Amino acid sequence: MTIEPQADAASGRPWGAWTSITWVVAAAALWLLFSFWIVHSQSMGPVPVFLSWAIAPVVLVIAVLLRRRSIAPYMAWTAPRPRDVLIAAGAALVVIFGIGVLDYVLNEGTSIGVDAGAYRQYLAAGGTPSGFLSNSYGAWIYAPIVEETVFRGFLWRGLAASRSAIGGHGC
């Protein structure tokens, strides 16, 4: 089931195309600054990594609130059915396990899908096992959520409301 964003889904006018792009660039710049700080302060635990992933959605939620719009419809946030979550989690585990088995077979039993050298280097630099896991699984968990929020939600809403949008309504 595909839900198309509607330009008039909530009260108030959405941001236009250029302002939406500016908000996204500002969110990306803050994320880069925070990531730079994390790397140089050597705070590589799971909490700073989680906070770095939360920066873009938080900035965009502030932008939506400043526009006096409802957050969930503007961002195209919908709650998935529990069955769909279980299917997706199961599929991800099958893929992860399959990659580990394939890596094990191709490397003749010397690897199980984790780059041991990278893991040792991470620990030697003061990292923790939970930090190593949060760094890799962030790409599997947080990235899709942030990407959908930024592009399908916030940015699409601004582009759809733009006068220059193809088929746009010209608000």
Side-chain angles (χ1 to χ4, degrees):
M1 179 170 100
T2 304
I3 299 173
E4 292 293 325
Q6 300 296 318
D8 55 352
S11 61
R13 184 174 172 213
W15 294 107
W18 289 110
T19 308
S20 295
I21 291 169
T22 302
W23 276 108
V24 170
V25 168
L30 284 173
W31 175 77
L32 284 171
L33 286 171
F34 191 76
S35 298
F36 181 79
W37 173 79
I38 289 173
V39 169
H40 290 292
S41 70
Q42 298 173 345
S43 298
M44 294 298 288
V47 172
V49 171
F50 172 77
L51 290 175
S52 73
W53 283 101
I55 287 175
V58 167
V59 168
L60 298 181
V61 162
I62 291 168
V64 172
L65 291 174
L66 287 173
R67 209 57 172 162
R68 295 187 177 139
R69 299 289 306 256
S70 298
I71 296 168
Y74 197 97
M75 299 292 207
W77 287 344
T78 58
R81 295 181 303 190
R83 177 177 174 244
D84 294 339
V85 172
L86 289 174
I87 290 171
L93 289 174
V94 166
V95 168
I96 292 168
F97 182 72
I99 290 171
V101 168
L102 182 63
D103 191 41
Y104 183 80
V105 169
L106 292 176
N107 289 303
E108 299 173 355
T110 60
S111 176
I112 56 168
V114 176
D115 183 0
Y119 179 67
R120 282 197 233 36
Q121 184 179 13
Y122 183 84
L123 292 178
T128 63
S130 64
F132 186 79
L133 283 175
S134 69
N135 282 335
S136 63
Y137 284 103
W140 289 73
I141 296 168
Y142 304 125
I145 294 169
V146 172
E147 179 183 332
E148 290 297 313
T149 295
V150 171
F151 296 106
R152 187 173 64 101
F154 186 83
L155 194 55
W156 174 250
R157 182 81 53 219
L159 294 174
S162 172
R163 290 187 180 138
S164 62
I166 297 173
H169 301 290
C171 293

